[in-house]
Amino acid sequence: MGTNMQKSLVDVLKSADRALLMEVLREAESRLQSQLSSALAADMRAITFLGFLAAVTVATFGAGMAAMDKSFPIAVIAIFTGSGFGISCFYAFEAARPIDFQFVGNDPSSWRRDIEASIALDDALAEQIAHYDEMLKDNRKAMEESASHLERSANIARITMGIGAFFAVMHLFGLLPL
């Protein structure tokens, strides 16, 4: 029995017939494969956004440094904006970095204990499905964390762009007291 006097998932699954167990297993494997596809697509978005942000950051900082002798206010605006994009790059990198991801399947050695203990196939399937359930939850958590980093990166970039544009326009119209 699990906590709160509830049956564990393995115990519940062990009461199912083999046909149902095979369907639940098929769906869990399908879900894990879908998570992998989704995570790879999210990684590509994060990597693409990171590359774009890195180029914008370097260009903005470069413009700020080049403007240092000609227009101090423009230099400050560009360096501030480049800093914001740099922070956005950090979060895009966090979204793109490798995560601990659970994959469908098992190593053959993972079955050793079940074979040595002569565990029935239905019981082994129930344990495998419960294991997949934990893997799905772990993947979901890792993917949500990466998505949060990418969202934070996009928000910082959007805010940085808005603030930078605001001050650039203010300077253009002579409304910036610098």
Side-chain angles (χ1 to χ4, degrees):
M1 295 284 178
T3 58
N4 297 331
M5 302 300 287
Q6 294 178 353
K7 284 186 173 181
S8 72
L9 179 59
V10 172
D11 291 333
V12 171
L13 290 166
K14 284 181 179 180
S15 67
D17 65 38
R18 183 170 298 166
L20 181 58
L21 286 172
M22 294 306 294
E23 178 60 17
V24 174
L25 180 66
R26 184 190 70 75
E27 289 185 22
E29 288 174 342
S30 176
R31 182 69 176 226
L32 281 165
Q33 189 60 44
S34 295
Q35 280 184 334
L36 176 60
S37 296
S38 180
L40 289 172
D43 283 351
M44 289 309 299
R45 284 190 301 273
I47 290 167
T48 301
F49 193 54
L50 175 59
F52 168 75
L53 282 173
V56 168
T57 300
V58 169
T60 307
F61 266 118
M65 298 309 286
M68 192 67 78
D69 292 339
K70 295 169 184 63
S71 174
F72 183 73
I74 291 295
V76 170
I77 292 168
I79 291 170
F80 168 80
T81 303
S83 298
F85 286 137
I87 293 167
S88 182
C89 276
F90 169 79
Y91 286 108
F93 173 79
E94 288 296 304
R97 72 181 169 77
I99 59 174
D100 188 19
F101 202 81
Q102 307 293 321
F103 300 98
V104 70
N106 265 315
D107 296 326
S109 60
S110 297
W111 288 93
R112 183 181 186 132
R113 182 191 62 84
D114 288 353
I115 293 167
E116 290 174 345
S118 299
I119 302 292
L121 177 59
D122 289 350
D123 290 346
L125 287 171
E127 290 175 8
Q128 180 67 25
I129 293 166
H131 177 64
Y132 279 176
D133 187 65
E134 290 303 314
M135 291 168 62
L136 286 162
K137 290 174 185 171
D138 289 346
N139 287 351
R140 189 174 299 118
K141 182 179 175 187
M143 291 169 67
E144 286 171 355
E145 185 176 318
S146 288
S148 176
H149 287 307
L150 189 56
E151 184 176 2
R152 187 172 296 123
S153 174
N155 287 338
I156 291 169
R158 185 176 61 246
I159 291 166
T160 297
M161 188 171 51
I163 292 171
F166 172 78
F167 281 107
V169 168
M170 293 288 288
H171 178 68
L172 179 67
F173 290 107
L175 302 173
L176 193 62
L178 289 179

